Amino acid sequence: MVQERQSQGRGKGVCWSLRLWSAAMVSILLLSTCFVLSCVEKVWGCCPSHWKSFGSSCYHISTDKNNWNISEQKCIKMGSHLVVINTEAEQNFIIQQLNKSIAYFLGLSDPQGNGQWQWIDNTPCSQNIRFWHLNEPNLPDERCALVVHWDPTGWGWNNVFCKHKYNSICEMKKTYL
């Protein structure tokens, strides 16, 4: 009878240890799952259909010509704004998507005509991130910027009259799942 009690006591100890290990394993699995999901969430950035993905942004290349203000309004209707170029890598990605025979409005303007270029999100145009064609910008009354391909120099920015009609590039932040 004493032996029976001892073996029953050992069985309860083993059962209790097994329950603790099971609880620990379930906890580790849950934490691991949460960690993996948080990493995947940062990786699964989505862009709308027919938009181009780069970095944390999505880009839409317009197929119609409008003046700068209407171009910006069309971008806003799509939940975006005219493109703001922050890096050389972004500029290089964008120009790879473009047709060399078409000029495209950027979200860059000089509203006062005083050489104080600023992006549509109100950030000033950084001295480090400028891709103007040689001798551009040149006229103070040309207060909007576009990216255009000129032979033989290639792609660069040019200032133009805002009322003229060009294609445009819209940008939005990716949606993360």
Side-chain angles (χ1 to χ4, degrees):
M1 189 160 207
V2 172
Q3 273 185 329
E4 260 181 54
R5 284 186 191 160
Q6 284 178 348
S7 64
Q8 284 177 355
R10 279 190 207 136
K12 286 181 182 178
V14 169
C15 189
W16 179 247
S17 291
L18 189 57
R19 285 183 187 160
L20 280 176
W21 277 106
S22 296
M25 290 306 291
V26 167
S27 296
I28 289 170
L29 281 171
L30 285 173
L31 287 172
S32 298
T33 302
C34 289
F35 175 76
V36 168
L37 287 176
S38 71
C39 290
V40 167
E41 184 175 293
K42 293 175 185 163
V43 173
W44 283 357
C46 297
C47 292
S49 180
H50 306 293
W51 287 59
K52 308 286 184 185
S53 172
F54 179 77
S56 61
S57 293
C58 306
Y59 302 88
H60 178 265
I61 314 300
S62 76
T63 55
D64 57 334
K65 294 181 179 183
N66 291 292
N67 68 40
W68 194 87
N69 287 323
I70 291 174
S71 294
E72 172 61 6
Q73 289 306 312
K74 286 189 168 224
C75 289
I76 289 171
K77 285 181 183 177
M78 293 187 285
S80 63
H81 54 77
L82 284 170
V83 67
V84 174
I85 297 176
N86 298 300
T87 65
E88 185 174 358
E90 184 179 20
Q91 164 90 358
N92 290 336
F93 168 79
I94 289 168
I95 61 177
Q96 290 173 6
Q97 314 305 314
L98 305 179
N99 181 329
K100 289 181 180 179
S101 64
I102 299 174
Y104 303 84
F105 274 126
L106 303 172
L108 183 61
S109 66
D110 179 10
Q112 308 306 316
N114 60 6
Q116 301 298 312
W117 290 87
Q118 64 183 35
W119 292 104
I120 195 75
D121 63 0
N122 292 319
T123 59
C125 183
S126 167
Q127 295 294 329
N128 300 334
I129 310 296
R130 288 186 171 213
F131 302 101
W132 293 106
H133 277 294
L134 186 62
N135 300 319
E136 298 294 338
N138 58 355
L139 299 175
D141 288 337
E142 294 180 331
R143 297 180 181 185
C144 290
L146 50 79
V147 62
V148 60
H149 188 275
W150 289 347
D151 285 326
T153 57
W155 288 100
W157 300 349
N158 181 36
N159 63 320
V160 295
F161 293 103
C162 299
K163 66 182 180 183
H164 288 178
K165 294 183 177 183
Y166 296 98
N167 290 60
S168 59
I169 307 163
C170 299
E171 176 183 11
M172 71 168 58
K173 293 295 178 196
K174 284 183 181 174
T175 302
Y176 289 94
L177 301 177

